[in-house]
Amino acid sequence: MPKISVILPVYNVGPYLDAALSSLISQTMKDIEIIAVNDGSTDNSEEILRGYKEKYDNVFYYNQSNKGQSAARNHALQYATGEYVYFMDSDDLIDTDALRVCYEYAERTQADFIFFDGDILQEEGAPPITWNYKRTYLLKEGVRYEGEKLLNLMLDKEKHNCVVWLLFIRRAFLNRIGLSFYEGIIHEDELFTTILTLSSDNIYCLRRSFVMHRVRSASTMGIHYSMRNINCYLTVADELLRYSQKPIIHKYLRYTLSKVFYTGYQIPIREKPSVFWRAIKSGYMKYIGIGSVLVFWLKNKG
């Protein structure tokens, strides 16, 4: 049994995939398996995966028709045998020492999962982003954090970060809570990471920056903001309220949906009535707030 299973969903990332795989092959922790799922790519991504599989006996890949990143991750998880799981984006880069350091720290603390920081690699032509992936400065290494208290703190400091590629997760814990990715939506990490955090009272942070996260003009965060973005966030809200009615869920929804609808001024006017009516029917206006509603309807896209 390998110590770490790296899960790699792949969709049309030919220009970046070799660098991502090389950063994994170069890890100082050698006892890892790399499980890639080619999600119906139409470029040379599968050819690159085949080359790595032929060259390295710890690289595996599987094909599926295009079903999205959630389905690709869930598919790969079926084959994972490692003690820990790391979900990597297939256009990112990871520090050569990252998996070894994470493994040793997780073993020492016996954490359900640990989290760390990342840096941004901005592609030319990609829109600027207004956030970063630094939050461990708010915490202490070697201190156990309970999930609900941790999420409360991150919401209060406006540093909540949902991305799974900043997490290093014990697979037995993941299996015990029965958590997988909700298929058919984007922004699926919002749902996965929130439930993961609230399911644990045994979380540790590692005050290191290990990932270079590539922001591309064609990535989920770089493409045109649309009705689909908002509808997927509303689906996340639906699922979180099914999961729990605790105050922390309502706090999370106030934090998230207000920002979602504030940003929603960018979507075409013809799309606005549909998502706004869905929010009204679902009782979400109390989370969105009048300020975000006014921006949603009245601000013009620059």
Side-chain angles (χ1 to χ4, degrees):
M1 185 174 69
K3 291 182 170 63
I4 303 164
S5 297
V6 179
I7 304 299
L8 196 71
V10 173
Y11 179 70
N12 287 354
V13 286
Y16 315 101
L17 184 55
D18 183 72
L21 287 166
S22 293
S23 73
L24 288 171
I25 293 297
S26 301
Q27 290 293 302
T28 55
M29 165 66 79
K30 297 302 181 185
D31 195 3
I32 67 174
E33 60 180 5
I34 301 165
I35 306 171
V37 169
N38 176 38
D39 186 36
S41 295
T42 57
D43 66 355
N44 65 334
S45 293
E46 184 183 357
E47 181 182 342
I48 295 169
L49 289 173
R50 187 184 303 115
Y52 272 83
K53 182 181 179 181
E54 291 172 355
K55 189 173 182 180
Y56 301 100
D57 60 8
N58 66 333
V59 176
F60 310 90
Y61 85 89
Y62 305 89
N63 285 314
Q64 66 177 31
S65 58
N66 181 238
K67 298 177 182 178
Q69 186 165 246
S70 290
R73 286 170 173 164
N74 289 340
H75 190 170
L77 274 172
Q78 298 176 41
Y79 302 102
T81 61
E83 298 172 47
Y84 295 89
V85 175
Y86 176 63
F87 297 99
M88 182 168 169
D89 278 6
S90 52
D91 52 358
D92 286 354
L93 303 171
I94 186 168
D95 184 271
T96 302
D97 226 15
L99 296 182
R100 179 188 64 80
V101 174
C102 286
Y103 178 83
E104 291 175 356
Y105 184 62
E107 285 290 281
R108 187 163 67 251
T109 59
Q110 287 298 293
D112 290 334
F113 70 92
I114 65 173
F115 64 95
F116 43 87
D117 291 332
D119 295 295
I120 294 169
L121 183 59
Q122 190 89 6
E123 185 180 69
E124 185 177 354
I129 61 176
T130 58
W131 63 90
N132 60 46
Y133 297 103
K134 308 290 188 183
R135 56 178 170 159
T136 61
Y137 68 89
L138 295 168
L139 305 168
K140 295 180 179 179
E141 282 192 9
V143 173
R144 179 177 64 86
Y145 291 93
E146 297 177 7
E148 186 169 337
K149 291 181 179 178
L150 179 62
L151 182 55
N152 257 310
L153 172 64
M154 292 301 167
L155 293 175
D156 287 343
K157 299 292 187 181
E158 297 196 343
K159 292 301 292 182
H160 171 62
N161 209 309
C162 70
V163 294
V164 296
W165 39 266
L166 294 180
L167 309 177
F168 187 80
I169 308 167
R170 189 178 298 272
R171 190 167 65 90
F173 169 67
L174 198 58
N175 291 339
R176 177 164 58 82
I177 64 176
L179 185 60
S180 60
F181 291 89
Y182 191 100
E183 298 187 12
I185 63 171
I186 53 177
H187 309 303
E188 68 281 351
D189 286 7
E190 294 278 350
L191 181 60
F192 182 94
T193 305
T194 303
I195 293 177
L196 184 83
T197 301
L198 293 176
S199 299
S200 177
D201 61 359
N202 188 29
I203 305 166
Y204 288 78
C205 84
L206 188 55
R207 298 180 70 178
R208 296 278 297 274
S209 187
F210 282 136
V211 178
M212 288 292 293
H213 177 63
R214 195 184 303 271
V215 177
R216 300 186 283 129
S217 55
S219 68
T220 301
M221 301 309 299
I223 59 175
H224 169 66
Y225 200 79
S226 71
M227 181 171 64
R228 186 186 181 204
N229 295 82
I230 299 179
N231 273 324
C232 289
Y233 275 113
L234 293 175
T235 297
V236 169
D238 294 342
E239 294 302 313
L240 284 175
L241 287 170
R242 288 191 184 98
Y243 169 74
S244 174
Q245 290 286 332
K246 284 185 174 183
I248 186 63
I249 298 295
H250 300 288
K251 184 174 182 177
Y252 168 86
L253 294 180
R254 284 192 298 273
Y255 175 88
T256 302
L257 293 184
S258 61
K259 297 181 188 326
V260 167
F261 274 81
Y262 187 97
T263 309
Y265 77 87
Q266 301 177 61
I267 75 174
I269 189 67
R270 68 182 180 277
E271 296 181 349
K272 291 185 178 183
S274 172
V275 293
F276 196 73
W277 179 239
R278 179 180 173 184
I280 291 173
K281 287 194 302 180
S282 300
Y284 292 155
M285 300 311 296
K286 62 190 175 188
Y287 304 123
I288 296 168
I290 187 65
S292 292
V293 169
L294 290 174
V295 169
F296 178 80
W297 285 109
L298 300 178
K299 184 176 179 179
N300 293 321
K301 186 175 180 181

